[in-house]
Amino acid sequence: MGRQYGLANQLANCAVCLMLVGSVAAGLVLWWRRRPQGELGAPTLQTGDRMPAGVKALLAVLAVLFPLVGATMLPALAWGRWRGQRLR
């Protein structure tokens, strides 16, 4: 509830929270201004691009240790595979 260390702690936490919100908003605005018109601005994949095995292992470990992370990875993986098959 934020009562343990008094008003100074509440104000410090509020300042940190507002800085985080501001940095997210600034990032979105800067991306929107710099992206190519009519495009997302993401780099294109080449035919030989693959994810390194170490990254796959790290993602698998995170999915097991944090089930909600794994639950959000599954739809993203399904979307990527579906889109990849659709583009071929």
Side-chain angles (χ1 to χ4, degrees):
M1 293 176 63
R3 295 182 184 163
Q4 187 170 5
Y5 298 110
L7 182 62
N9 185 44
Q10 290 176 347
L11 292 175
N13 286 335
C14 183
V16 169
C17 183
L18 290 175
M19 284 190 286
L20 286 171
V21 170
S23 67
V24 168
L28 287 172
V29 168
L30 291 172
W31 165 77
W32 187 261
R33 288 182 181 173
R34 293 184 61 161
R35 70 178 174 83
Q37 287 292 3
E39 296 180 27
L40 183 61
T44 58
L45 290 176
Q46 305 300 325
T47 54
D49 287 348
R50 298 275 185 228
M51 186 182 301
V55 174
K56 288 181 183 180
L58 178 65
L59 290 175
V61 168
L62 286 174
V64 170
L65 290 176
F66 303 105
L68 287 177
V69 172
T72 56
M73 282 184 201
L74 289 176
L77 180 64
W79 171 260
R81 291 197 180 231
W82 175 77
R83 185 170 164 107
Q85 289 174 356
R86 199 178 118 219
L87 291 176
R88 285 187 198 137

